[in-house]
């Protein structure tokens, strides 16, 4: 009908983009984001961190939220940040909640275009899986347990406002942390459980979300324009896992995000012409 057609006609301003980060990544991960895709979504993107840094407050026009969560890479602290992020989305009044990690590149115009396919007045949970089988909670309860898929936060995830409101009674006001602690799952798995159990909707797999769990160099350069999110890992067991995209040298641009940004948007200031 015409009302739902109107809902699909969203703009970037209808999207809340939350990025989870930490004081430990201030110098390593944040700068390349601030130079690249953040510039295309300055007013819509918020960072959730564990420190108050005046430089970054200035660079983001006050869009760094000090969650007061502990900076440790442990389940309960990551869940604490996600809880704050969710509450900020609810208070923003926006139609879409998208989460990314601080090693993601967000293809901003593509994200807007993708979300136009879905009606935010209906529950939608969009993302990419990172496991081959659905989760089961409690683990051994094959008969009565909750079976669910979760969207890996490392690849990015979006949920409609309708879905976010459905899970508000169990997720809002920091209640997300309680569930996270009870389940002993990471934050993204916990979100999948909550959505499956209380949101009454399944995960819609959108393969254009990408994390560094994939071999990123195998993504063809001519497909990058189609992707919603990308990632990198500078050091893992096998060395580095980065995109194979033409552009700057790897000393200047180890993450490949500067090159990717110029590949997608050649008119940006720092891009060669
Ligand atoms: N992170 C955090 N606190 C930490 C470590 C990581 O908030 O102490 C965040 C980090 O900023 C990122 C996400 O958690 O957004 C995932 O971290 P990372 O990419 O280092 O680990 P992965 O889960 O990809 O192995
Ligand atoms: Mn990561």
């Amino acid at each position: 009908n015409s009302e739902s057609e109107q809902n699909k006609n969203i703009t970037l301003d209808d999207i809340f983009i939350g990025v989870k980060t930490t004081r430990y990544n201030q110098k390593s991960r944040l700068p390349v984001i601030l130079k690249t895709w953040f510039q295309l979504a300055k007013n819509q993107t918020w960072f959730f961190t564990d420190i108050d840094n005046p430089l970054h407050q200035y660079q983001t026009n006050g869009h760094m939220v000090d969650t007061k969560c502990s900076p440790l890479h442990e389940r309960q602290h990551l869940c604490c940040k996600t809880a704050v992020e969710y509450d900020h989305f609810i208070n923003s009044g926006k139609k879409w909640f998208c989460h990314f990690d601080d090693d993601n590149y967000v293809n901003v115009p593509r994200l807007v275009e993708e979300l136009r396919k879905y009606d935010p007045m209906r529950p939608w949970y969009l993302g990419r899986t990172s496991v081959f089988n659905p989760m089961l909670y409690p683990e051994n309860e094959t008969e009565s347990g909750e079976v669910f898929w979760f969207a890996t936060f490392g690849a990015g995830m979006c949920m409609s406002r309708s879905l976010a409101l459905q899970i508000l009674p169990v997720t809002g006001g920091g209640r997300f942390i309680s569930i996270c602690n009870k389940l002993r799952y990471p934050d993204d798995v916990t979100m999948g459980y909550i959505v499956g159990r209380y949101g009454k909707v399944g995960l819609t797999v959108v393969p254009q979300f990408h994390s560094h769990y994939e071999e990123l160099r195998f993504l063809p350069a001519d497909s990058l324009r189609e992707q919603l999110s990308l990632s990198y890992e500078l050091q893992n067991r096998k060395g580095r896992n980065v995109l194979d995209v033409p552009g700057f040298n790897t000393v200047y641009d180890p993450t490949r995000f500067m090159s990717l940004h110029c590949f997608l948007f050649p008119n940006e200031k720092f891009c060669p012409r």
Side-chain angles (χ1 to χ4, degrees):
N1 64 19
S2 68
E3 194 184 343
S4 77
E5 283 310 310
Q6 262 173 30
N7 279 319
K8 289 179 185 173
N9 221 351
I10 59 150
T11 67
L12 181 54
D13 266 324
D14 294 315
I15 308 174
F16 177 96
I17 301 177
V19 179
K20 185 171 63 186
T21 187
T22 165
R23 67 180 72 171
Y24 301 121
N25 296 345
Q26 288 192 102
K27 293 200 177 122
S28 52
R29 296 189 185 182
L30 205 51
V32 74
I33 294 181
L34 297 183
K35 272 184 229 149
T36 58
W37 68 263
F38 173 72
Q39 294 302 322
L40 304 182
K42 275 183 173 181
N43 297 325
Q44 298 78 17
T45 304
W46 297 84
F47 295 91
F48 295 85
T49 188
D50 41 49
I51 194 167
D52 189 21
N53 178 329
L55 170 69
H56 291 143
Q57 284 295 7
Y58 173 75
Q59 289 177 333
T60 62
N61 194 22
H63 280 221
M64 303 286 308
V65 177
D66 181 4
T67 58
K68 311 278 193 220
C69 301
S70 149
L72 300 176
H73 193 182
E74 283 165 13
R75 194 184 44 75
Q76 64 266 43
H77 313 302
L78 298 180
C79 288
C80 172
K81 277 182 193 153
T82 299
V84 176
E85 194 180 323
Y86 170 87
D87 283 345
H88 269 254
F89 162 70
I90 292 295
N91 292 333
S92 76
K94 301 214 180 211
K95 294 186 173 136
W96 285 97
F97 171 31
C98 295
H99 163 92
F100 296 94
D101 276 359
D102 62 4
D103 50 8
N104 281 136
Y105 179 95
V106 182
N107 189 351
V108 174
R110 250 306 269 136
L111 183 66
V112 180
E113 186 189 290
E114 181 67 21
L115 295 182
R116 285 199 179 129
K117 297 179 187 167
Y118 314 89
D119 180 355
M121 300 290 275
R122 294 177 177 279
W124 286 108
Y125 178 46
L126 312 174
R128 186 191 186 93
T129 56
S130 58
V131 292
F132 291 107
N133 297 302
M135 306 291 292
L136 177 64
Y137 183 87
E139 234 171 81
N140 301 314
E141 302 277 324
T142 38
E143 296 295 309
S144 59
E146 178 73 27
V147 179
F148 64 97
W149 290 94
F150 68 95
T152 303
F153 277 178
M157 175 285 310
C158 295
M159 71 167 72
S160 59
R161 181 158 203 90
S162 159
L163 173 57
L165 291 176
Q166 277 183 8
I167 63 172
L168 183 66
V170 290
T171 311
R175 281 180 293 261
F176 182 79
I177 302 173
S178 319
I179 300 198
C180 210
N181 286 338
K182 188 178 135 212
L183 268 49
R184 301 186 170 274
Y185 280 144
D187 48 358
D188 48 1
V189 186
T190 300
M191 192 60 93
Y193 171 85
I194 293 176
V195 167
R197 169 126 191 236
Y198 303 98
K200 298 179 177 64
V201 66
L203 173 68
T204 299
V205 173
V206 181
Q208 287 83 15
F209 286 107
H210 297 282
S211 77
H212 55 68
Y213 293 137
E214 299 159 63
E215 294 269 3
L216 293 161
R217 70 199 148 92
F218 293 136
L219 276 176
D222 62 13
S223 79
L224 295 178
R225 213 169 287 287
E226 300 304 313
Q227 311 307 335
L228 295 166
S229 64
L230 294 148
S231 187
Y232 65 85
E233 195 172 28
L234 293 185
Q235 270 175 335
N236 66 17
R237 287 166 287 108
K238 294 193 225 158
R240 68 172 62 180
N241 180 11
V242 296
L243 291 170
D244 184 11
V245 57
F248 301 107
N249 70 50
T250 55
V251 177
Y252 176 69
D253 182 25
T255 69
R256 309 315 289 152
F257 279 7
M258 304 282 287
S259 302
L260 173 63
H261 196 62
C262 290
F263 183 80
L264 298 177
F265 309 103
N267 295 327
E268 290 291 291
K269 268 190 251 96
F270 61 80
C271 302
R273 42 201 103 174

